[in-house]
Amino acid sequence: PWIELALDCGQDIDADHPHAPRAFKTHLYYPHCPKGNGSRHIVVYRNPLDVCLSFFKFFEGWFFGPGEVSLDAFARAFWLR
């Protein structure tokens, strides 16, 4: 489960679970991730250009119409402020 959405989805991430080890996903920055005794973390970094394009495609048609905002304008507004 996503740590940020677990409560909203009615999931208790602290509940007993039949499988071990357990895995959780998050978009939190590493310093803000919950840390437990003996826990291990896998940190994944993505190419910022890939992230920008993915974010643009995710938002297009949802927050703005297709073709209303260029990728260049989007990148400047969201990433280069």
Side-chain angles (χ1 to χ4, degrees):
W2 291 92
I3 293 173
E4 299 92 326
L5 299 176
L7 184 62
D8 294 336
C9 295
Q11 296 174 325
D12 180 1
I13 62 174
D14 295 318
D16 287 337
H17 197 270
H19 304 288
R22 296 190 61 191
F24 299 97
K25 302 175 281 190
T26 184
H27 281 112
L28 295 172
Y29 291 106
Y30 181 74
H32 301 142
C33 289
K35 313 252 183 341
N37 227 1
S39 64
R40 296 181 290 171
H41 300 85
I42 298 172
V43 179
V44 177
Y45 293 93
R46 290 178 62 196
N47 180 324
L49 297 175
D50 293 339
V51 172
C52 182
L53 181 59
S54 176
F55 202 44
F56 175 78
K57 289 181 177 182
F58 178 76
F59 275 2
E60 189 176 39
W62 189 18
F63 287 104
F64 51 86
E68 283 182 20
V69 178
S70 70
L71 177 58
D72 184 65
F74 178 83
R76 291 180 188 282
F78 279 83
W79 303 101
L80 302 176
R81 289 190 221 183

